[in-house]
Amino acid sequence: MNPLKRLGRRRASVLSLLAVGALVTPVAATAAPDAVRASTLGAQAAQSGRYFGTAVAAGRLGDGTYTGILDREFNSVTPENEMKWDATEPSRGQFTFGAADQIANRAQARGQRLRGHTLVWHSQLPGWVSSIRDANTLRGVMNNHITTVMNRYKGRIHSWDVVNEAFADGGSGQHRPSVFQNLLGDGFIEQAFRTARSADPAAKLCYNDYNIENWSDAKTQGVYRMVRDFKARGVPIDCVGLQAHFGTGGPPSNFQTTLSNFAALGVDVQITELDIAQASPTAYANTVRACMNVARCTGITVWGIRDSDSWRATENPLLFDRGGNKKPAYNAVLTALGGTPAAPAARPPTANRGTPAAPRGATDAAALPSRYSWSSSGTLIAPKPDATHNIAGIKDPTVVQYNGKYHVFASVASSSGYNLVYLNFTDWSQAGSATHHYLDRTAIGSGYRAAPQVFYHAQQRLWYLVYQTSNASFSTNPDISNPNGWSAPRNFYASMPDIIRQNIGNGHWVDMWVICDSANCYLFSSDDNGHLYRSQTAAGQFPNGFTNTVIAAQDSKYALFEASNVYKVHGTNQYLLLVEAIGSDGRRYFRSWTSGSLAGSWTPLAASESNPFARANNVTFPSGAWTRDISHGEMIRAGYDQTLTIPSCRLQYLYQGMNPNAGGDYNLLPWRLGLLTQTNSTC
Ligand code: G2I
């Protein structure tokens, strides 16, 4: 794409809007946000950098109650049976990934992490493997199985159970008999880990077992000796999975000791298959607390969602009952993760409830990394033209998660110019079927409106939609889910600030962005000519009084083009700036900077074509490379208020991309929306 074609867009119908000086009067919110903190297991675990996952059965994905809980509560998924050998290679060399792909693709589309379970296990092993009688054949078969399955999901699995349950129960502390042990000897485990490391160097490689939670047990000691030996000899192992299938009493009293002792060998520990007969809240809380107290205990997976989904259903061992209701153990777990269970009755809103909780636990949120890699979804959202909207592209998305839904606003481009659209959905798989509400039918009105940004002003209890109209404009709404609730546009400035007029050249004044700290609110904008501008007003004055406009960052025209995002990084003193650039290949990408304050100077983080924040060269496209542009979009935030807080890890970015072969009039390009999920997160 010739970047010059870009010039001249967004010029359509310049509105002569009057400046508005009236203060927005706080009104009672009809849809006051609930506290961000503590609402779900996954979100609460993420506050300490951990995941909270569940086993998932492909056969249950058609059950809406099941998927509703899955997507609301869990941010990691383990296929319960679908990645096992009998499922993936039922006959020699014939690999079948249908059910595993179903779970993996679904999880990935929702930003849920994936645990791989399991590559080498004596159980659920097809007969053709257990009947092998020759060591060389078995070694070849084992290595091929590991390599083929890991390759299939390369880069998408955070931790793999490379070897499962290889140790014997009882007092021996030795390996159990199996075809692997019998033909290949003790070395089969080491062999499996070495093969696994070459197949997917990014995945954490775990040894996983049950009855290794009690430090005094011979089996625990046997596994401990193996891990110590592997670490001493440089055999690649990164984690120990403790399955934690407990009886009614829950974990042994020395469970935390076991976790710490493994961790002290230099491996992560994970609770991988937690269930507890009769689900005593105390037993669950003790299990979770032990993990929270060990910095290298990086996540917890429960082995199923509802009691009726459990392999031990008669013991009611899980966190949700058959009807999908939260059991007392659920609240105990949420509390032990550091959260506050929801009160049974609705509570009145308070001013600060949009603010995410301070991080807690042993591993506070870390500063952002300086390199990024991402995996992209396919196209999730495409235009939905109707009788009066002949839309060519859907662009410039802004998104918040609120009340269990994603709320997306975007520009819609057509031959008659730009306006806005709103849609909401509960998970990304439903994004494509969500209804598009065209906002030109509301008080926002027709004419040039583009590049929206949405946030909730916690003190004013109002949602703000900021957008460009040739001036910097905004509308407010007490209820984000009501498209007809938006007020008519008002402007932040009486006219274009002088410093912009002096520097804009033949650029365009675009992409207004508001962010507040406790003292001030800032309004950023771009000029398609290498300048990022910043104005400010006192927090209590917002949305009025924006003044002191300065150049916050500058570079050559295409290196600092447009579409800036500025965020607070949760649990740190860092702010993150993203600006869209046009690369040497003519394609859009994002550069990033950080600063200790919103009015400070910006230090490059990942800001070059070779080390970009997000560019085609650091994004993989498991479902097909549908775009080479990673263009105007917005981060999935940790909250939804005016502080624009994002998580420090497991970042996700909703962006616009398009078919690389498309060309022609810039306003008619076929932009679509997709979701990036960070794949190099260390949490
Ligand atoms: O046994 C509990 C777990 C112990 N650790 C390893 C895990 O992989 C294991 O999970 C269970 C699954 O929860 C069960 O769902 O592994 C069992 C097999 O050992 C799974 O059961 C199997 C049944 O035995 C099969 O008959 C059935 O076809 O589930 C299959 C799929 O529903």
Side-chain angles (χ1 to χ4, degrees), residues 55 79-81 84 86 117-118 121 123-124 164-165 208-210 243 245 273 275 303 309-311:
E80 186 173 358
N81 290 297
K84 293 172 180 175
D86 61 352
H117 176 80
T118 175
W121 186 25
S123 181
Q124 281 177 287
N164 193 42
E165 302 177 5
N208 191 51
D209 214 329
Y210 64 91
Q243 292 184 7
H245 294 295
E273 302 180 13
D275 50 21
W303 205 240
D309 303 318
S310 170
W311 68 298

Side-chain angles (χ1 to χ4, degrees), residues 13-288:
S13 63
V14 175
L15 294 179
S16 52
L17 290 171
L18 298 171
V20 175
L23 231 145
V24 169
T25 313
V27 297
T30 56
D34 297 317
V36 168
R37 158 185 162 184
S39 53
T40 66
L41 302 171
Q44 188 55 45
Q47 303 272 337
S48 68
R50 294 178 173 82
Y51 65 84
F52 201 97
T54 180
V56 164
R60 296 189 197 270
L61 291 175
D63 174 341
T65 306
Y66 182 85
T67 52
I69 302 171
L70 168 60
D71 296 339
R72 187 185 73 220
E73 296 290 342
F74 299 100
N75 58 4
S76 176
V77 157
T78 309
E80 186 173 358
N81 290 297
E82 294 76 357
M83 286 188 178
K84 293 172 180 175
W85 199 315
D86 61 352
T88 52
E89 194 185 3
S91 50
R92 186 168 174 178
Q94 304 293 308
F95 287 88
T96 51
F97 292 113
D101 280 356
Q102 203 189 336
I103 295 176
N105 293 344
R106 189 182 187 287
Q108 191 164 9
R110 286 159 185 76
Q112 291 160 326
R113 308 179 71 192
L114 265 177
R115 282 198 95 259
H117 176 80
T118 175
L119 296 165
V120 180
W121 186 25
H122 65 275
S123 181
Q124 281 177 287
L125 190 64
W128 69 268
V129 184
S130 27
S131 52
I132 292 173
R133 296 282 171 264
D134 166 67
N136 285 336
T137 304
L138 182 63
R139 192 177 298 108
V141 156
M142 181 180 84
N143 289 337
N144 182 52
H145 182 79
I146 293 170
T147 305
T148 307
V149 178
M150 287 186 84
N151 260 331
R152 175 83 179 189
Y153 301 102
K154 192 167 181 163
R156 300 167 65 189
I157 299 240
H158 67 83
S159 310
W160 258 113
D161 291 333
V162 178
V163 175
N164 193 42
E165 302 177 5
F167 278 72
D169 292 313
S172 75
Q174 302 298 311
H175 295 180
R176 73 167 69 234
S178 71
V179 68
F180 304 106
Q181 180 68 28
N182 301 348
L183 291 188
L184 304 177
D186 282 350
F188 88 88
I189 303 181
E190 172 172 349
Q191 172 78 68
F193 275 84
R194 290 191 187 280
T195 304
R197 179 65 98 227
S198 335
D200 184 357
K204 296 215 176 207
L205 306 182
C206 303
Y207 176 79
N208 191 51
D209 214 329
Y210 64 91
N211 283 351
I212 58 167
E213 294 83 9
N214 188 327
W215 180 241
S216 313
D217 285 353
K219 189 170 174 183
T220 310
Q221 292 300 310
V223 174
Y224 180 82
R225 282 193 297 273
M226 175 188 75
V227 176
R228 190 176 56 191
D229 169 57
F230 278 15
K231 293 304 283 186
R233 292 191 296 112
V235 180
I237 185 167
D238 308 302
C239 36
V240 173
L242 298 98
Q243 292 184 7
H245 294 295
F246 291 132
T248 49
S253 57
N254 60 20
F255 181 46
Q256 188 178 315
T257 303
T258 307
L259 295 176
S260 315
N261 286 349
F262 276 115
L265 293 175
V267 288
D268 290 344
V269 287
Q270 301 173 5
I271 296 174
T272 52
E273 302 180 13
L274 177 61
D275 50 21
I276 304 179
Q278 307 313 334
S280 138
T282 309
Y284 262 104
N286 289 343
T287 310
V288 172

